[in-house]
Each structure stands twice: as structure tokens, then as C-alpha cells.
Amino acid sequence: MDVIKVSANSRTSAVAGAIAGVIREHKHAEVQAIGAGAVNQSIKAMVLAKNYLHSEGVDIVCSPEFVEIEIEGKVRTAIKLTVDPR
Amino acid sequence: MDVIKVSANSRTSAVAGAIAGVIREHKHAEVQAIGAGAVNQSIKAMVLAKNYLHSEGVDIVCSPEFVEIEIEGKVRTAIKLTVDPR
């Protein structure tokens, strides 16, 4: 299962579709964002995904944590949102 | 129970302490943020609050939604994070 990587320029509807699709298939999704704009897009996408899945009787919740990731040799702190059915 | 209002300038440790305190007392907390900076501070505070409460054996998750709020006569879209024990 791939981590869904979100940037400040990601379209929320596309990210929401990805979250909903991964939840349908794996009952678990992980979203990674670096920076305030990316975290905001992730949370807005989470709202949309929650609404998509609600109509299918699935209620999702998220649990955020900090993760260190390396990008082009530099260590950055990202937010990882773990998404699961409640 | 009051909604915890977060701005882009809120200190994450202060917000995290508020979330953990409200969860301890009410087993339920609500966080409201307007704008990317405020949403980012809220999620970072949620990570810290999760870590505080984890040591007490409590695992919290959040569920975001859009809410319309009126500020100085103008309607703004905020993110409300509902925080509950898993």
C-alpha cells in the first residue's frame, strides 16, 4: 500500500478520491504532508473522503503523527495522517 | 464544553495542553481553525496531545468537518476537528 503524498498544490478532490479508494481496498490509508499548505489540503481532502465514505456506511477517523523523511539528502519533518474506519 | 479556537499564531504546546485537558474531563473535544496556518497548528497540537494522553493509556483520533461561522458579519468556512478516544 502506497503512502498518499500531498503538497500545497494538490487538488483536494483528487486526494479525497485516493483516500477513499485506498480505504475501500485496504481498510487503512496513510497520508503524508510537509508544510502548512500541504497539511491543510490533506485535512480538507479528509473531510471530502469522509463524506464520500459516509454514504457507503463507513466512518473514517485520522490519527496524526510526526515522521522524519529524507528529501534530496535533507531531513524534513512531515505529518503522517493514519486513516482508519472508526 | 468550549470549542478550542486555534489561530496560525497559537502555540502548539498550549493548544495540545487544552486538548488533553478537555479530553481528560469530557472524553470529547472540539478544535476550530480557519486557514492553512491554523489547521497546521491544530494538527501539530493534536500530535502532541496524542503523545501526552498515550502515556495515560488513552488513544485519541480526530474527525474533521467543514463548518460555517460568522466573524464580524462575514461567513467564513472553518475546519472543526472532533477529537475522541478511539
Side-chain angles (χ1 to χ4, degrees):
Chain A
M1 195 200 63
D2 288 336
V3 171
I4 299 164
K5 291 181 183 168
V6 179
S7 80
N9 301 317
S10 298
R11 283 193 310 122
T12 51
S13 57
V15 176
I19 294 172
V22 173
I23 287 287
R24 284 186 197 106
E25 189 171 357
H26 299 284
K27 317 289 178 212
H28 175 83
E30 292 179 2
V31 177
Q32 181 182 289
I34 300 175
V39 169
N40 189 45
Q41 290 307 91
S42 300
I43 294 298
K44 285 158 64 181
M46 175 75 195
V47 175
L48 299 182
K50 202 178 74 152
N51 293 346
Y52 297 162
L53 292 164
H54 181 76
S55 63
E56 299 165 24
V58 176
D59 183 26
I60 51 172
V61 291
C62 67
S63 178
E65 63 190 287
F66 295 127
V67 290
E68 307 270 285
I69 58 169
E70 197 178 309
I71 296 178
E72 295 173 1
K74 287 187 181 170
V75 175
R76 304 281 304 273
T77 301
I79 294 278
K80 186 174 87 173
L81 295 174
T82 301
V83 184
D84 292 293
R86 191 191 291 271
Chain B
M1 195 200 63
D2 289 336
V3 171
I4 299 165
K5 292 180 182 168
V6 178
S7 80
N9 301 317
S10 297
R11 283 193 310 122
T12 50
S13 58
V15 175
I19 294 172
V22 173
I23 287 288
R24 285 186 196 105
E25 190 172 356
H26 298 284
K27 315 290 177 211
H28 175 84
E30 291 179 2
V31 177
Q32 183 182 287
I34 299 174
V39 169
N40 189 45
Q41 291 306 93
S42 300
I43 295 298
K44 284 158 64 181
M46 175 76 195
V47 175
L48 299 183
K50 202 178 73 151
N51 293 345
Y52 297 163
L53 292 164
H54 182 75
S55 63
E56 299 165 24
V58 176
D59 183 26
I60 52 173
V61 290
C62 66
S63 178
E65 64 189 286
F66 295 126
V67 291
E68 307 270 287
I69 58 170
E70 198 178 307
I71 296 177
E72 295 171 2
K74 286 186 184 172
V75 175
R76 305 282 303 273
T77 300
I79 294 278
K80 186 174 86 174
L81 295 174
T82 302
V83 184
D84 292 292
R86 192 190 290 271

